Amino acid sequence: MLYYVAKYHPYHGGQNAAFDLFSRRILDLKDGYERGLAYFAERVEPLLQDATVITVVPSHGTNGAHAGIRQLAQRLIHGVRRDGTGCLVRAVAIPKLSHGGSRNLEVHLNSIVVRQPELLAGRHVTLLDDVMTSGNSLLACERLLREAGAAEVYCLALGRTS
């Protein structure tokens, strides 16, 4: 099952009347701004289990950059939570989804690999993404994490495109 914090209304060059503070904070997070990181750390922290491995949906490129969502995940790691932000890696670059790239499930399954499966084996995993539109990147990552041995995968997007 896929969960999200709230609806995301894309900016569309300032032409979207529904663009709100929550949507602004998602853009802040994507850019790695502290106001976005703090905003979502406060909202996501109460939703997390203590004993979980936290990982993130990788960006479209192969350079390993996860921008703000990775920074957020690392901020949420403390106590018995484990850092799994390096477990999912985009091995083959794909076109950026927000710029018209394919949202097909197979595109993600064929371009993402799991590293450090021993960190996931038998554990509960929280998978974070910034914005969910079709949900296919989350679903692909969930499948890959389960195949790597995760006991349970909790999929959480910050925003769901409306």
Side-chain angles (χ1 to χ4, degrees), residues 12 32 45 77 92 159:
H12 293 307
E45 175 67 38
I77 296 164
V92 177

Side-chain angles (χ1 to χ4, degrees), residues 49-55 78-84 87 115-127 141-142 144-155:
Q49 297 176 357
D50 281 336
T52 188
V53 176
I54 300 177
T55 190
H78 54 76
V80 294
R81 293 185 190 148
R82 310 233 10 216
D83 184 351
C87 288
R115 303 272 163 82
Q116 303 173 294
E118 67 281 357
L119 183 63
L120 307 166
R123 297 192 180 271
H124 292 269
V125 176
T126 300
L127 174 62
C141 289
E142 176 187 26
L144 293 167
L145 291 166
R146 287 184 188 276
E147 289 172 358
E152 188 172 331
V153 180
Y154 174 67
C155 299

